[in-house]
């Protein structure tokens, strides 16, 4: 079993690398930043936009975990090149190589402007991107859907919340995806058939995003950001849920000052 991880040197890739290591499994780590391969690993230095390099990187691969791309807002030209076209290059290379499973790192920012409602935000919430970055995640999901329907690849899109060692602010008491839960979610997604869009969130007490579809593919989160609540609330105060950044899925990305110079 060989898994190609794109963007392996990034934040989520770095957290997942040791957690996805397993007897009988090879992790092929691809990034523009050179990485040193350890036991059970292979390292490839390449851009996801390089068609030739991606075709070569798919050799002998059973599943792809596509994390590569800009992880925050950037000018449109960069988003288009790396996030949008890069995802096309990854999926096309996977299809040509006959790779069966592809997991796509989407983001809550694909639906960032969705308001907090009465109940949980459902799975498959209609796109409401909050940035060009969010648009690229919507496009990523759309490309995944296309490659599933037209070419039969099994594709699962993860609308990741806030995947860090620990929540960094009070919003993340709701949106945190712990590194261990992220690995649990990735394992479930890598094995799932069909096409799915699932929230990437832990079993947080203050969670307001659905876990239904995640659980349907076998993801059972174990962590809860609430253990960090006392410290974070003491520092930042209790959140006003009716106001930004708590009133919408995407938090500060939806604020008037969150922009780049295009
Ligand atoms: C994301 O998509 C970003 O990559 C990450 O840095 C966080 O800002 C996260 O969303 C979030 O919404 O907390």
């Amino acid at each position: 079993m060989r898994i190609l991880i794109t963007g392996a040197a990034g934040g989520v890739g770095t957290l997942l690398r040791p957690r996805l290591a397993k007897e009988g499994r090879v992790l092929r780590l691809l990034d523009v930043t050179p990485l040193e391969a350890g036991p059970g690993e292979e390292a490839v230095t390449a851009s996801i936009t390089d068609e030739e390099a991606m075709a070569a990187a798919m050799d002998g691969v059973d599943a792809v975990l596509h994390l590569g791309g800009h992880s925050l807002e950037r000018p449109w030209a960069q988003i288009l090149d790396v996030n949008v076209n890069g995802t096309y290059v990854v999926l096309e290379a996977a299809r040509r190589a006959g790779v069966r499973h592809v997991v796509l790192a989407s983001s809550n920012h694909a639906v960032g402007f969705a308001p907090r409602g009465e109940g949980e935000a459902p799975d498959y919430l209609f796109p409401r991107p909050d940035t060009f970055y969010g648009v690229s995640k919507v496009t990523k999901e759309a490309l995944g859907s296309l490659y599933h329907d037209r070419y039969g690849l099994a594709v699962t899109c993860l609308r990741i919340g806030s995947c860090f060692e620990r929540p960094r602010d009070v919003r993340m008491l709701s949106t945190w995806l712990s590194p261990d839960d992220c690995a649990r979610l990735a394992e479930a997604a890598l094995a799932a058939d069909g096409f799915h869009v699932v929230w990437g969130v832990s079993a947080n007490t203050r969670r307001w995003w659905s876990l239904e579809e995640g659980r349907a593919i076998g993801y059972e989160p174990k962590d809860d950001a609430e253990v960090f609540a006392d410290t974070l609330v003491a520092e930042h105060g209790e959140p006003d849920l009716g106001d930004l950044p708590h009133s919408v899925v995407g938090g500060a990305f939806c604020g008037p000052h969150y922009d780049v110079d295009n």
Side-chain angles (χ1 to χ4, degrees):
M1 174 75 175
R2 181 179 276 102
I3 301 173
L4 172 68
I5 304 180
T6 71
V12 175
T14 303
L15 293 170
L16 284 183
R17 187 175 164 186
R19 291 174 169 89
L20 294 182
K22 207 158 118 174
E23 186 82 29
R25 175 183 278 178
V26 176
L27 299 181
R28 181 172 290 166
L29 311 168
L30 183 140
D31 206 288
V32 280
T33 302
L35 284 166
E36 211 168 298
E41 294 179 339
E42 299 165 347
V44 179
T45 307
S47 166
I48 54 169
T49 62
D50 182 337
E51 291 183 20
E52 232 173 89
M54 290 313 298
M58 292 291 168
D59 190 40
V61 164
D62 301 289
V64 176
L65 177 54
H66 176 36
L67 307 174
H70 295 298
S71 62
L72 292 170
E73 183 65 319
R74 287 283 184 282
W76 176 246
Q78 292 176 31
I79 291 286
L80 187 61
D81 179 37
V82 180
N83 289 26
V84 177
N85 189 50
T87 297
Y88 156 74
V89 172
V90 169
L91 281 164
E92 181 60 15
R95 174 186 81 80
R96 287 179 190 232
V99 174
R100 166 116 199 78
H101 285 96
V102 178
V103 177
L104 301 175
S106 181
S107 167
N108 70 91
H109 299 289
V111 290
F113 271 113
R116 186 187 279 263
E118 290 294 300
E120 286 186 352
D123 299 289
Y124 301 99
L125 197 56
F126 194 79
R128 286 186 79 169
D130 53 28
T131 42
F132 295 142
Y133 166 69
V135 170
S136 78
K137 296 299 186 178
V138 174
T139 309
K140 198 177 211 181
E141 294 178 1
L143 283 165
S145 173
L146 173 70
Y147 273 76
H148 168 68
D149 283 332
R150 184 166 289 277
Y151 304 117
L153 276 74
V155 178
T156 299
C157 308
L158 314 178
R159 287 183 173 171
I160 297 174
S162 311
C163 186
F164 300 105
E165 278 294 354
R166 49 177 58 211
R168 296 173 170 183
D169 54 32
V170 284
R171 170 179 175 263
M172 293 190 195
L173 294 175
S174 307
T175 63
W176 190 49
L177 174 64
S178 78
D180 286 346
D181 281 341
C182 188
R184 290 181 187 104
L185 180 58
E187 292 287 4
L190 284 163
D193 285 324
F195 175 79
H196 307 273
V197 179
V198 305
W199 290 100
V201 67
S202 280
N204 304 321
T205 301
R206 304 184 192 210
R207 172 182 63 81
W208 59 284
W209 304 342
S210 166
L211 277 174
E212 211 175 301
E213 188 68 354
R215 289 195 167 116
I217 64 161
Y219 167 53
E220 202 41 66
K222 292 205 164 60
D223 295 321
D224 184 344
E226 205 58 20
V227 296
F228 302 99
D230 285 351
T231 325
L232 285 169
V233 170
E235 206 177 317
H236 305 280
E238 272 294 346
D240 174 356
L241 302 185
D243 214 348
L244 275 179
H246 309 288
S247 53
V248 286
V249 166
F253 282 44
C254 298
H257 305 299
Y258 198 90
D259 212 344
V260 284
D261 185 7
N262 287 289

